[in-house]
Amino acid sequence: MSGGGDRPRVVLGVTGGIAVYKACELLRLFTESGHDVTVVPTAAALEFVGAPTWAALSGKPVAADVWHDVHEVPHVRIGRSADLVVVAPATADVLARAAHGLAGDLLTNTLLTAGCPIVFAPAMHTEMWEHAATQDNVATLRRRGALVLEPAEGRLTGADTGKGRFPDPAEVFAVARDVLDRSGAANLLDLSGRHVVVSAGGTREFLDPVRFLGNRSSGLQGYALARTAASRGAEVTLVAANVSLPDPAGVKVVPVQTTAELRDAVRSSAPVADAVVMAAAPADYRPTEVSGTKMKKADDGSAPVLRLAQNPDILAELAHDRPRAGLVVVGFAAETGERGRSVLDLATAKLARKGCDLLVVNDVSGGRVFGSPDNEAVVLDSAGGRTPVPRGTKSALAHVVWDRVVALLGDG
Ligand code: CTP
Protein backbone atom coordinates (compact mmCIF):
# COMPACT_ATOMS: atom_id res chain seq x y z
CA MET A 1 0.00 0.00 0.00
CA SER A 2 1.24 3.49 -0.73
CA GLY A 3 1.83 5.34 2.55
CA GLY A 4 -0.78 5.79 5.31
CA GLY A 5 0.33 2.78 7.36
CA ASP A 6 -1.13 -0.48 6.15
CA ARG A 7 -4.64 0.90 5.66
CA PRO A 8 -5.58 0.79 1.97
CA ARG A 9 -6.05 4.31 0.63
CA VAL A 10 -9.25 4.73 -1.32
CA VAL A 11 -10.43 7.83 -3.13
CA LEU A 12 -14.21 7.85 -3.36
CA GLY A 13 -15.25 10.18 -6.15
CA VAL A 14 -18.93 11.08 -5.90
CA THR A 15 -20.75 12.86 -8.69
CA GLY A 16 -24.08 14.61 -9.10
CA GLY A 17 -26.82 12.07 -9.56
CA ILE A 18 -29.65 11.17 -7.21
CA ALA A 19 -27.95 7.82 -6.46
CA VAL A 20 -25.24 9.73 -4.59
CA TYR A 21 -27.10 9.09 -1.32
CA LYS A 22 -26.23 5.41 -1.76
CA ALA A 23 -22.53 6.34 -1.82
CA CYS A 24 -22.88 7.26 1.89
CA GLU A 25 -23.49 3.57 2.58
CA LEU A 26 -20.56 2.62 0.35
CA LEU A 27 -18.35 5.05 2.27
CA ARG A 28 -19.38 3.49 5.58
CA LEU A 29 -18.54 0.03 4.28
CA PHE A 30 -15.05 1.24 3.38
CA THR A 31 -14.36 3.08 6.63
CA GLU A 32 -15.83 0.39 8.90
CA SER A 33 -13.57 -2.21 7.34
CA GLY A 34 -10.42 -0.19 7.93
CA HIS A 35 -9.92 1.76 4.70
CA ASP A 36 -8.50 5.27 4.67
CA VAL A 37 -11.04 7.07 2.46
CA THR A 38 -10.74 10.51 0.89
CA VAL A 39 -14.04 11.63 -0.55
CA VAL A 40 -13.75 13.87 -3.60
CA PRO A 41 -17.17 15.18 -4.61
CA THR A 42 -18.01 17.17 -7.70
CA ALA A 43 -19.85 20.46 -7.19
CA ALA A 44 -23.01 18.79 -8.48
CA ALA A 45 -22.70 15.95 -5.94
CA LEU A 46 -22.68 18.54 -3.16
CA GLU A 47 -26.08 19.79 -4.37
CA PHE A 48 -27.47 16.36 -3.40
CA VAL A 49 -25.40 15.49 -0.30
CA GLY A 50 -23.42 18.23 1.45
CA ALA A 51 -19.77 18.28 2.48
CA PRO A 52 -20.52 17.81 6.24
CA THR A 53 -21.98 14.35 5.54
CA TRP A 54 -18.90 13.25 3.61
CA ALA A 55 -16.55 14.77 6.17
CA ALA A 56 -18.35 13.11 9.10
CA LEU A 57 -18.52 9.68 7.46
CA SER A 58 -14.92 9.72 6.20
CA GLY A 59 -13.40 11.51 9.20
CA LYS A 60 -11.61 13.90 6.85
CA PRO A 61 -12.17 17.36 5.39
CA VAL A 62 -13.67 17.39 1.93
CA ALA A 63 -12.86 19.61 -1.04
CA ALA A 64 -14.36 19.68 -4.50
CA ASP A 65 -12.12 22.19 -6.26
CA VAL A 66 -8.40 22.61 -6.67
CA TRP A 67 -8.23 25.95 -4.83
CA HIS A 68 -8.26 24.55 -1.28
CA ASP A 69 -4.95 23.90 0.50
CA VAL A 70 -3.09 24.76 -2.71
CA HIS A 71 0.28 24.56 -0.91
CA GLU A 72 -0.31 20.81 -0.49
CA VAL A 73 -0.95 20.41 -4.24
CA PRO A 74 -3.96 18.19 -3.51
CA HIS A 75 -4.81 17.66 -7.18
CA VAL A 76 -1.61 15.65 -7.54
CA ARG A 77 -1.17 14.26 -4.03
CA ILE A 78 -4.59 12.60 -3.70
CA GLY A 79 -4.35 10.71 -6.97
CA ARG A 80 -0.71 9.69 -6.56
CA SER A 81 -1.10 8.26 -3.07
CA ALA A 82 -4.30 6.26 -3.74
CA ASP A 83 -4.41 2.47 -3.92
CA LEU A 84 -7.82 2.61 -5.60
CA VAL A 85 -10.12 5.26 -7.01
CA VAL A 86 -13.83 4.45 -7.07
CA VAL A 87 -16.21 6.87 -8.79
CA ALA A 88 -19.64 5.94 -7.50
CA PRO A 89 -22.08 6.99 -8.69
CA ALA A 90 -20.53 8.06 -11.97
CA THR A 91 -22.72 10.36 -14.06
CA ALA A 92 -22.66 10.62 -17.86
CA ASP A 93 -20.94 13.97 -17.32
CA VAL A 94 -17.98 12.61 -15.32
CA LEU A 95 -17.55 9.70 -17.76
CA ALA A 96 -17.37 12.25 -20.61
CA ARG A 97 -14.93 14.49 -18.79
CA ALA A 98 -12.73 11.54 -17.76
CA ALA A 99 -12.75 10.10 -21.29
CA HIS A 100 -11.62 13.44 -22.69
CA GLY A 101 -9.03 14.11 -20.00
CA LEU A 102 -10.66 17.33 -18.81
CA ALA A 103 -9.42 18.58 -15.47
CA GLY A 104 -11.77 21.29 -14.30
CA ASP A 105 -12.20 20.10 -10.72
CA LEU A 106 -10.42 18.10 -8.04
CA LEU A 107 -11.99 14.75 -9.03
CA THR A 108 -10.99 14.94 -12.69
CA ASN A 109 -7.49 16.10 -11.69
CA THR A 110 -7.29 13.08 -9.38
CA LEU A 111 -8.32 10.76 -12.22
CA LEU A 112 -5.45 12.14 -14.32
CA THR A 113 -2.83 11.69 -11.61
CA ALA A 114 -3.93 8.31 -10.22
CA GLY A 115 -1.54 5.48 -11.01
CA CYS A 116 -3.77 2.91 -9.29
CA PRO A 117 -6.81 0.96 -10.58
CA ILE A 118 -9.93 3.06 -11.26
CA VAL A 119 -13.48 1.73 -10.94
CA PHE A 120 -16.53 3.60 -12.24
CA ALA A 121 -20.03 2.60 -11.09
CA PRO A 122 -22.28 4.55 -13.50
CA ALA A 123 -25.86 5.47 -12.63
CA MET A 124 -28.12 7.54 -14.87
CA HIS A 125 -31.29 7.36 -16.91
CA THR A 126 -31.39 4.62 -19.53
CA GLU A 127 -31.36 7.07 -22.45
CA MET A 128 -28.22 8.74 -21.14
CA TRP A 129 -26.47 5.39 -20.60
CA GLU A 130 -27.43 4.10 -24.03
CA HIS A 131 -26.55 7.33 -25.86
CA ALA A 132 -23.75 6.82 -28.38
CA ALA A 133 -21.71 9.56 -26.71
CA THR A 134 -21.79 7.80 -23.32
CA GLN A 135 -21.12 4.40 -24.87
CA ASP A 136 -18.10 5.81 -26.75
CA ASN A 137 -16.79 7.37 -23.55
CA VAL A 138 -17.24 4.10 -21.65
CA ALA A 139 -15.41 2.22 -24.42
CA THR A 140 -12.56 4.75 -24.27
CA LEU A 141 -12.22 4.44 -20.50
CA ARG A 142 -12.29 0.63 -20.70
CA ARG A 143 -9.68 0.61 -23.46
CA ARG A 144 -7.44 2.67 -21.20
CA GLY A 145 -7.77 0.10 -18.42
CA ALA A 146 -10.53 1.47 -16.19
CA LEU A 147 -13.17 -0.92 -14.87
CA VAL A 148 -16.54 0.57 -15.86
CA LEU A 149 -19.35 -1.51 -14.34
CA GLU A 150 -22.59 -1.97 -16.25
CA PRO A 151 -25.43 -0.25 -14.34
CA ALA A 152 -28.17 -2.44 -12.89
CA GLU A 153 -31.63 -2.74 -14.38
CA GLY A 154 -34.70 -1.77 -12.39
CA ARG A 155 -36.54 1.16 -10.92
CA LEU A 156 -35.02 4.56 -11.76
CA THR A 157 -35.59 7.90 -10.03
CA GLY A 158 -39.15 8.43 -11.19
CA ALA A 159 -41.78 5.84 -11.93
CA ASP A 160 -39.75 4.52 -14.87
CA THR A 161 -37.61 1.39 -14.96
CA GLY A 162 -34.68 0.39 -17.14
CA LYS A 163 -30.93 0.05 -17.19
CA GLY A 164 -29.16 2.75 -15.22
CA ARG A 165 -29.67 1.94 -11.55
CA PHE A 166 -26.83 2.16 -9.07
CA PRO A 167 -26.12 -1.39 -7.83
CA ASP A 168 -26.42 -2.47 -4.20
CA PRO A 169 -23.66 -0.49 -2.37
CA ALA A 170 -22.43 -3.69 -0.69
CA GLU A 171 -21.92 -5.20 -4.13
CA VAL A 172 -19.98 -2.16 -5.38
CA PHE A 173 -17.89 -2.49 -2.23
CA ALA A 174 -17.29 -6.19 -2.99
CA VAL A 175 -16.00 -5.34 -6.48
CA ALA A 176 -13.76 -2.60 -5.07
CA ARG A 177 -12.35 -5.03 -2.47
CA ASP A 178 -11.76 -7.60 -5.15
CA VAL A 179 -9.86 -5.11 -7.32
CA LEU A 180 -7.78 -4.02 -4.31
CA ASP A 181 -6.99 -7.64 -3.44
CA ARG A 182 -5.78 -8.29 -6.98
CA SER A 183 -4.03 -4.96 -7.55
CA GLY A 184 -0.68 -6.77 -7.88
CA ALA A 185 -1.97 -8.99 -10.72
CA ALA A 186 -0.17 -8.71 -14.04
CA ASN A 187 -3.41 -8.04 -15.88
CA LEU A 188 -6.19 -6.90 -13.58
CA LEU A 189 -8.85 -6.90 -16.32
CA ASP A 190 -7.93 -10.14 -18.07
CA LEU A 191 -11.61 -10.90 -18.86
CA SER A 192 -12.15 -7.53 -20.51
CA GLY A 193 -13.90 -7.93 -23.87
CA ARG A 194 -15.09 -11.42 -22.86
CA HIS A 195 -18.68 -12.48 -22.27
CA VAL A 196 -19.22 -15.17 -19.67
CA VAL A 197 -22.39 -16.97 -18.64
CA VAL A 198 -22.66 -18.32 -15.10
CA SER A 199 -25.52 -20.39 -13.72
CA ALA A 200 -26.23 -20.39 -9.99
CA GLY A 201 -28.68 -21.74 -7.43
CA GLY A 202 -30.94 -24.76 -7.51
CA THR A 203 -33.86 -25.36 -9.83
CA ARG A 204 -37.37 -26.27 -8.65
CA GLU A 205 -39.65 -28.73 -10.34
CA PHE A 206 -43.23 -28.07 -9.42
CA LEU A 207 -45.74 -30.73 -8.39
CA ASP A 208 -48.54 -28.20 -8.06
CA PRO A 209 -48.73 -24.39 -7.60
CA VAL A 210 -47.20 -24.54 -4.09
CA ARG A 211 -45.00 -27.65 -3.92
CA PHE A 212 -41.78 -28.49 -5.67
CA LEU A 213 -38.80 -30.83 -5.74
CA GLY A 214 -35.66 -28.82 -5.11
CA ASN A 215 -32.18 -28.95 -3.63
CA ARG A 216 -29.94 -27.17 -1.12
CA SER A 217 -27.84 -25.04 -3.46
CA SER A 218 -27.50 -21.51 -2.00
CA GLY A 219 -26.14 -19.86 -5.15
CA LEU A 220 -23.18 -18.40 -3.22
CA GLN A 221 -20.52 -20.01 -5.43
CA GLY A 222 -22.22 -18.98 -8.67
CA TYR A 223 -22.68 -15.43 -7.38
CA ALA A 224 -18.99 -15.30 -6.39
CA LEU A 225 -18.09 -16.44 -9.91
CA ALA A 226 -20.27 -13.74 -11.46
CA ARG A 227 -18.99 -11.00 -9.14
CA THR A 228 -15.32 -11.85 -9.68
CA ALA A 229 -15.77 -12.11 -13.47
CA ALA A 230 -17.27 -8.61 -13.47
CA SER A 231 -14.38 -7.29 -11.39
CA ARG A 232 -11.99 -8.78 -13.98
CA GLY A 233 -13.77 -6.81 -16.70
CA ALA A 234 -16.10 -9.44 -18.22
CA GLU A 235 -19.59 -8.89 -19.51
CA VAL A 236 -21.50 -11.30 -17.27
CA THR A 237 -24.87 -13.00 -17.64
CA LEU A 238 -25.91 -14.72 -14.42
CA VAL A 239 -28.72 -17.24 -14.77
CA ALA A 240 -30.03 -17.47 -11.23
CA ALA A 241 -32.31 -20.29 -10.12
CA ASN A 242 -34.22 -19.38 -6.95
CA VAL A 243 -31.43 -17.44 -5.27
CA SER A 244 -32.19 -14.83 -2.62
CA LEU A 245 -28.96 -12.85 -2.79
CA PRO A 246 -28.46 -9.25 -3.98
CA ASP A 247 -27.57 -8.88 -7.66
CA PRO A 248 -23.79 -8.59 -8.09
CA ALA A 249 -22.67 -5.20 -9.42
CA GLY A 250 -22.12 -4.99 -13.17
CA VAL A 251 -23.88 -8.30 -13.84
CA LYS A 252 -27.00 -9.02 -15.89
CA VAL A 253 -29.19 -11.35 -13.82
CA VAL A 254 -31.72 -13.65 -15.52
CA PRO A 255 -34.01 -15.25 -12.91
CA VAL A 256 -35.31 -18.77 -13.62
CA GLN A 257 -37.11 -21.46 -11.64
CA THR A 258 -37.09 -24.80 -13.44
CA THR A 259 -34.39 -26.79 -15.22
CA ALA A 260 -36.15 -26.17 -18.55
CA GLU A 261 -36.03 -22.39 -17.95
CA LEU A 262 -32.39 -22.60 -16.89
CA ARG A 263 -31.58 -24.55 -20.04
CA ASP A 264 -33.35 -22.00 -22.27
CA ALA A 265 -31.59 -19.06 -20.62
CA VAL A 266 -28.12 -20.65 -20.81
CA ARG A 267 -28.59 -21.81 -24.39
CA SER A 268 -29.79 -18.42 -25.58
CA SER A 269 -26.70 -16.64 -24.17
CA ALA A 270 -24.10 -19.32 -24.98
CA PRO A 271 -23.73 -18.57 -28.72
CA VAL A 272 -22.30 -15.12 -27.93
CA ALA A 273 -20.30 -16.24 -24.89
CA ASP A 274 -16.63 -17.09 -24.47
CA ALA A 275 -17.24 -19.30 -21.44
CA VAL A 276 -20.16 -20.96 -19.68
CA VAL A 277 -19.74 -21.98 -16.04
CA MET A 278 -22.47 -24.28 -14.76
CA ALA A 279 -22.36 -23.71 -11.01
CA ALA A 280 -26.11 -24.28 -10.63
CA ALA A 281 -27.61 -27.48 -9.31
CA PRO A 282 -30.36 -28.25 -11.83
CA ALA A 283 -32.84 -30.84 -10.62
CA ASP A 284 -32.12 -34.03 -12.54
CA TYR A 285 -35.79 -35.12 -12.55
CA ARG A 286 -39.17 -33.43 -12.93
CA PRO A 287 -42.65 -34.76 -12.26
CA THR A 288 -44.24 -36.05 -15.47
CA GLU A 289 -47.46 -34.31 -14.48
CA VAL A 290 -47.88 -30.92 -12.83
CA SER A 291 -51.22 -30.34 -11.16
CA GLY A 292 -52.76 -26.96 -11.99
CA THR A 293 -54.45 -26.86 -8.60
CA LYS A 294 -53.17 -27.66 -5.12
CA MET A 295 -53.01 -31.41 -4.56
CA LYS A 296 -55.23 -32.58 -1.68
CA LYS A 297 -54.45 -35.37 0.76
CA ALA A 298 -56.32 -38.59 -0.05
CA ASP A 299 -59.19 -39.30 2.40
CA ASP A 300 -58.13 -42.93 2.72
CA GLY A 301 -54.64 -41.97 3.98
CA SER A 302 -52.85 -43.36 0.93
CA ALA A 303 -49.67 -41.62 -0.31
CA PRO A 304 -49.43 -40.37 -3.90
CA VAL A 305 -46.94 -42.01 -6.26
CA LEU A 306 -44.78 -39.52 -8.10
CA ARG A 307 -43.74 -40.34 -11.63
CA LEU A 308 -40.57 -38.55 -12.70
CA ALA A 309 -38.90 -37.89 -16.04
CA GLN A 310 -35.21 -37.15 -16.43
CA ASN A 311 -34.21 -33.57 -17.32
CA PRO A 312 -31.70 -32.88 -20.08
CA ASP A 313 -28.09 -32.47 -18.94
CA ILE A 314 -27.42 -28.85 -19.91
CA LEU A 315 -23.67 -29.08 -19.30
CA ALA A 316 -23.17 -32.24 -21.36
CA GLU A 317 -25.32 -30.89 -24.20
CA LEU A 318 -23.31 -27.67 -24.37
CA ALA A 319 -19.97 -29.43 -24.11
CA HIS A 320 -20.77 -32.03 -26.78
CA ASP A 321 -22.49 -29.67 -29.18
CA ARG A 322 -20.77 -26.30 -28.72
CA PRO A 323 -22.74 -23.39 -30.16
CA ARG A 324 -19.51 -21.49 -30.76
CA ALA A 325 -15.99 -22.73 -31.60
CA GLY A 326 -13.64 -22.15 -28.69
CA LEU A 327 -16.42 -21.85 -26.10
CA VAL A 328 -14.95 -22.89 -22.73
CA VAL A 329 -17.36 -25.07 -20.77
CA VAL A 330 -16.94 -25.52 -17.01
CA GLY A 331 -18.89 -27.88 -14.75
CA PHE A 332 -19.15 -28.42 -11.03
CA ALA A 333 -19.43 -31.75 -9.29
CA ALA A 334 -20.39 -32.41 -5.70
CA GLU A 335 -19.18 -35.90 -4.82
CA THR A 336 -19.09 -38.02 -1.69
CA GLY A 337 -17.03 -40.92 -3.00
CA GLU A 338 -18.26 -44.50 -2.73
CA ARG A 339 -16.80 -47.86 -1.91
CA GLY A 340 -13.65 -48.44 -3.99
CA ARG A 341 -13.95 -45.14 -5.87
CA SER A 342 -12.59 -41.89 -4.47
CA VAL A 343 -14.11 -38.47 -5.03
CA LEU A 344 -11.41 -37.76 -7.65
CA ASP A 345 -11.99 -41.09 -9.46
CA LEU A 346 -15.69 -40.30 -9.77
CA ALA A 347 -14.99 -36.73 -10.85
CA THR A 348 -12.46 -37.77 -13.50
CA ALA A 349 -15.03 -40.13 -15.00
CA LYS A 350 -17.67 -37.37 -14.85
CA LEU A 351 -15.40 -34.88 -16.66
CA ALA A 352 -14.92 -37.37 -19.51
CA ARG A 353 -18.62 -38.27 -19.62
CA LYS A 354 -19.79 -34.65 -19.68
CA GLY A 355 -17.11 -33.56 -22.16
CA CYS A 356 -16.43 -30.24 -20.43
CA ASP A 357 -13.04 -28.47 -20.35
CA LEU A 358 -12.87 -28.00 -16.58
CA LEU A 359 -14.66 -29.66 -13.69
CA VAL A 360 -14.59 -28.14 -10.22
CA VAL A 361 -14.93 -30.92 -7.69
CA ASN A 362 -16.19 -30.48 -4.14
CA ASP A 363 -16.10 -33.20 -1.55
CA VAL A 364 -19.54 -32.91 0.07
CA SER A 365 -19.31 -35.87 2.44
CA GLY A 366 -21.31 -35.03 5.54
CA GLY A 367 -23.16 -32.08 3.97
CA ARG A 368 -20.09 -29.83 3.74
CA VAL A 369 -20.06 -26.72 1.52
CA PHE A 370 -23.79 -25.99 1.21
CA GLY A 371 -24.53 -22.42 2.28
CA SER A 372 -21.05 -21.97 3.69
CA PRO A 373 -18.97 -18.92 2.71
CA ASP A 374 -15.94 -21.20 2.28
CA ASN A 375 -15.09 -23.84 -0.24
CA GLU A 376 -12.31 -26.32 -0.93
CA ALA A 377 -12.02 -27.99 -4.31
CA VAL A 378 -9.91 -29.53 -7.02
CA VAL A 379 -10.14 -28.17 -10.56
CA LEU A 380 -9.72 -30.98 -13.09
CA ASP A 381 -9.00 -30.29 -16.74
CA SER A 382 -9.59 -32.41 -19.80
CA ALA A 383 -5.81 -32.85 -20.31
CA GLY A 384 -5.57 -34.65 -16.96
CA GLY A 385 -4.32 -31.66 -14.93
CA ARG A 386 -5.42 -31.23 -11.31
CA THR A 387 -5.33 -27.87 -9.51
CA PRO A 388 -6.05 -28.26 -5.78
CA VAL A 389 -7.64 -25.18 -4.24
CA PRO A 390 -7.15 -25.06 -0.45
CA ARG A 391 -10.01 -24.14 1.88
CA GLY A 392 -10.77 -20.48 1.35
CA THR A 393 -13.52 -18.14 0.29
CA LYS A 394 -15.82 -18.89 -2.62
CA SER A 395 -14.34 -15.78 -4.27
CA ALA A 396 -10.85 -17.27 -4.03
CA LEU A 397 -12.07 -20.46 -5.71
CA ALA A 398 -13.86 -18.36 -8.34
CA HIS A 399 -10.61 -16.59 -9.17
CA VAL A 400 -8.82 -19.92 -9.66
CA VAL A 401 -11.60 -20.96 -12.07
CA TRP A 402 -11.24 -17.68 -14.02
CA ASP A 403 -7.44 -18.05 -14.09
CA ARG A 404 -7.91 -21.45 -15.73
CA VAL A 405 -10.58 -20.11 -18.11
CA VAL A 406 -8.32 -17.21 -19.14
CA ALA A 407 -5.51 -19.68 -19.85
CA LEU A 408 -7.82 -21.81 -22.02
CA LEU A 409 -9.14 -18.78 -23.90
CA GLY A 410 -5.61 -17.68 -24.78
CA ASP A 411 -5.22 -14.55 -26.88
CA GLY A 412 -8.00 -15.43 -29.33
N1 CTP B 1 -25.91 -30.20 -14.70
C1 CTP B 1 -26.56 -29.78 -15.84
N2 CTP B 1 -27.81 -30.25 -16.14
C2 CTP B 1 -28.41 -31.13 -15.34
C3 CTP B 1 -27.76 -31.58 -14.18
C4 CTP B 1 -26.50 -31.08 -13.89
O1 CTP B 1 -25.99 -28.97 -16.57
N3 CTP B 1 -29.62 -31.56 -15.64
C5 CTP B 1 -24.55 -29.68 -14.41
C6 CTP B 1 -24.42 -28.93 -13.11
O2 CTP B 1 -24.65 -27.54 -13.28
C7 CTP B 1 -22.97 -29.21 -12.73
C8 CTP B 1 -22.78 -30.62 -13.20
O3 CTP B 1 -23.71 -30.81 -14.26
O4 CTP B 1 -22.08 -28.35 -13.43
C9 CTP B 1 -23.08 -31.59 -12.10
O5 CTP B 1 -23.08 -32.85 -12.62
P1 CTP B 1 -24.23 -33.92 -12.26
O6 CTP B 1 -24.10 -35.03 -13.23
O7 CTP B 1 -25.54 -33.32 -12.13
O8 CTP B 1 -23.83 -34.28 -10.87
P2 CTP B 1 -24.71 -35.21 -10.05
O9 CTP B 1 -26.15 -34.82 -10.07
O10 CTP B 1 -24.03 -35.24 -8.75
O11 CTP B 1 -24.57 -36.50 -10.94
P3 CTP B 1 -24.50 -37.98 -10.46
O12 CTP B 1 -25.60 -38.11 -9.48
O13 CTP B 1 -24.70 -38.71 -11.74
O14 CTP B 1 -23.13 -38.09 -9.89
Side-chain angles (χ1 to χ4, degrees):
M1 304 297 158
S2 24
D6 51 10
R7 293 205 300 156
R9 289 192 176 199
V10 176
V11 171
L12 177 60
V14 291
T15 70
I18 185 66
V20 72
Y21 75 93
K22 297 184 184 172
C24 299
E25 176 66 20
L26 179 60
L27 173 55
R28 283 189 75 100
L29 290 166
F30 275 120
T31 52
E32 283 173 5
S33 53
H35 298 76
D36 172 358
V37 189
T38 303
V39 180
V40 183
T42 60
L46 295 176
E47 296 286 332
F48 288 94
V49 177
T53 302
W54 304 115
L57 291 176
S58 68
K60 285 190 188 182
V62 163
D65 61 48
V66 292
W67 308 115
H68 279 78
D69 304 319
V70 177
H71 61 290
E72 288 185 0
V73 205
H75 70 290
V76 176
R77 176 180 52 80
I78 294 173
R80 273 194 189 156
S81 62
D83 296 307
L84 178 71
V85 177
V86 182
V87 184
T91 54
D93 180 68
V94 82
L95 294 173
R97 291 192 292 134
H100 291 277
L102 300 185
D105 61 10
L106 188 56
L107 178 57
T108 44
N109 275 269
T110 300
L111 291 171
L112 288 178
T113 53
C116 61
I118 300 178
V119 178
F120 291 92
M124 64 197 74
H125 267 83
T126 312
E127 295 85 344
M128 297 176 82
W129 172 252
E130 288 177 350
H131 195 284
T134 305
Q135 288 301 307
D136 282 354
N137 293 329
V138 168
T140 300
L141 293 168
R142 285 181 176 155
R143 186 166 36 76
R144 291 193 198 130
L147 176 61
V148 185
L149 296 170
E150 291 290 310
E153 279 185 43
R155 181 86 189 267
L156 301 172
T157 319
D160 45 350
T161 60
K163 189 164 183 175
R165 257 177 84 82
F166 188 72
D168 184 324
E171 291 295 328
V172 177
F173 174 71
V175 168
R177 262 313 325 164
D178 208 51
V179 171
L180 266 175
D181 288 344
R182 293 183 69 251
S183 48
N187 181 3
L188 206 53
L189 301 180
D190 54 1
L191 285 171
S192 169
R194 303 290 191 183
H195 181 185
V196 303
V197 178
V198 177
S199 70
T203 62
R204 293 176 179 175
E205 301 296 347
F206 286 87
L207 299 163
D208 70 13
V210 295
R211 302 187 182 90
F212 56 83
L213 302 175
N215 62 68
R216 292 172 59 190
S217 179
S218 64
L220 285 169
Q221 185 61 65
Y223 272 55
L225 280 154
R227 188 182 297 117
T228 49
S231 77
R232 291 168 80 146
E235 178 185 346
V236 187
T237 303
L238 174 60
V239 181
N242 309 299
V243 181
S244 51
L245 294 170
D247 291 353
V251 167
K252 180 181 177 195
V253 180
V254 181
V256 296
Q257 292 202 81
T258 64
T259 297
E261 289 170 6
L262 179 70
R263 178 172 179 265
D264 287 349
V266 169
R267 288 172 70 91
S268 70
S269 315
V272 290
D274 296 286
V276 175
V277 181
M278 287 293 299
D284 287 325
Y285 300 96
R286 65 181 183 280
T288 49
E289 276 170 40
V290 183
S291 169
T293 52
K294 191 175 167 210
M295 288 160 63
K296 294 288 180 198
K297 279 195 289 289
D299 292 337
D300 63 2
S302 63
V305 176
L306 294 182
R307 293 183 63 81
L308 301 177
Q310 193 160 358
N311 278 326
D313 188 321
I314 305 161
L315 177 66
E317 280 180 351
L318 263 186
H320 288 298
D321 187 13
R322 304 201 183 205
R324 180 180 181 183
L327 176 73
V328 174
V329 179
V330 184
F332 272 70
E335 303 286 355
T336 58
E338 55 190 39
R339 209 173 333 149
R341 301 186 76 194
S342 71
V343 165
L344 284 184
D345 291 342
L346 292 169
T348 305
K350 187 171 281 183
L351 172 77
R353 198 167 63 243
K354 300 255 186 184
C356 49
D357 302 297
L358 301 172
L359 190 72
V360 184
V361 187
N362 292 132
D363 181 345
V364 290
S365 323
R368 277 189 272 167
V369 174
F370 293 105
S372 134
D374 287 351
N375 213 340
E376 179 181 1
V378 179
V379 183
L380 306 184
D381 64 50
S382 52
R386 292 179 174 185
T387 310
V389 187
R391 175 152 296 280
T393 61
K394 290 189 173 178
S395 293
L397 173 57
H399 278 304
V400 175
V401 172
W402 294 126
D403 289 346
R404 304 288 293 110
V405 169
V406 166
L408 289 173
L409 285 170
D411 299 328

